[in-house]
Amino acid sequence: MWFAGPARLVPDAGRPAAQRLGFHLEPGMRVGLFGGSFNPAHEGHAHVAETAMRRLELDRVIWLVSPQNPLKSSHETRPLPERLAQARRWARGSGMIVSDAETRLGSQYTIDTLRVLKARFPGVKFVWVMGADSLAGFHRWRGWTQIMREVPVAVISRPWIALKARTAPAARRFAFARWPASAASRLPDATAPAWVYLTGPLNFASSTALRARQTGKLGR
């Protein structure tokens, strides 16, 4: 029922670009990995990243701009350079890094990306960061149960989706591993599976609404 298919053990990471990810991390750093299409990036994404940075007391948040979301149509996805540029507009602050690491690694799935980054940066305390809207469909991701067991996960509340997210298959399957929000600052030190759901002021921006608005403008 919740099975999304097996994940490969490693991605195709032997390419030269995989040796130059564009960022450097030191052992002991607390680093949030915030993945997505960012199609386009908007203030709601910034809200998720900034909330994770503050509540989890992270040193860095890396926006992993995916080359192509396997669950979405390529016809709806803007060119990667455009999405990277838009993400950089919203990733404010010295601790925010926008990266095309998944393209460099040749990684299509999050589980592959996590395993390579953990191997590349031993001693770094990674946390996977996502909005509550992603948690609602998380059980459709390739190797989603493996992701939960690979690194701690922080879920940031998003408008209209709270109930659906909290009762999603992933939330129910890993209910035993949920931490109280009051312990969020300790999550990067946790052994997976461990996850937290963080609520707070909601930002109502969405990529879907922005695309619809821009399509409407172009049609006039």
Side-chain angles (χ1 to χ4, degrees), residues 30 55-56 178-190 196 198:
R30 301 155 64 92
R55 299 283 297 275
L56 275 63
R178 181 176 171 180
W179 284 35
S182 59
S185 64
R186 302 200 305 273
L187 189 71
D189 300 312
V196 65
L198 300 177

Side-chain angles (χ1 to χ4, degrees), residues 5-13 15 102 105-113 115-116 142-143 146 150:
R8 293 175 296 152
L9 292 179
V10 294
D12 177 15
R15 59 184 62 185
E102 291 190 312
L105 293 170
S107 174
Q108 186 179 11
Y109 298 108
T110 296
I111 184 62
D112 297 330
T113 303
R115 287 171 171 168
V116 169
R142 178 68 62 87
Q146 294 163 291
E150 198 73 34

Side-chain angles (χ1 to χ4, degrees), residues 52-126:
M53 175 78 84
R54 182 180 69 256
R55 299 283 297 275
L56 275 63
E57 299 181 4
L58 300 174
D59 298 301
R60 302 283 187 276
V61 173
I62 301 177
W63 298 45
L64 293 170
V65 183
S66 65
Q68 174 58 48
N69 186 328
L71 298 178
K72 297 181 180 179
S73 168
S74 60
H75 300 295
E76 301 174 356
T77 304
R78 297 179 179 184
L80 179 62
E82 182 178 338
R83 291 183 286 120
L84 285 165
Q86 290 170 336
R88 291 188 181 102
R89 286 181 53 202
W90 290 105
R92 297 180 286 257
S94 59
M96 299 288 178
I97 299 170
V98 175
S99 174
D100 62 349
E102 291 190 312
T103 297
R104 296 178 185 234
L105 293 170
S107 174
Q108 186 179 11
Y109 298 108
T110 296
I111 184 62
D112 297 330
T113 303
L114 289 175
R115 287 171 171 168
V116 169
L117 291 179
K118 286 180 66 177
R120 179 71 63 85
F121 300 108
V124 171
K125 300 174 181 180
F126 288 114

Side-chain angles (χ1 to χ4, degrees), residues 48 130-137 155-158 161-162 164-165 197:
V48 169
M130 61 181 171
D133 47 340
S134 293
L135 179 64
V155 180
I156 313 302
S157 60
R158 294 285 290 141
I161 200 72
K164 187 175 180 180
Y197 189 99

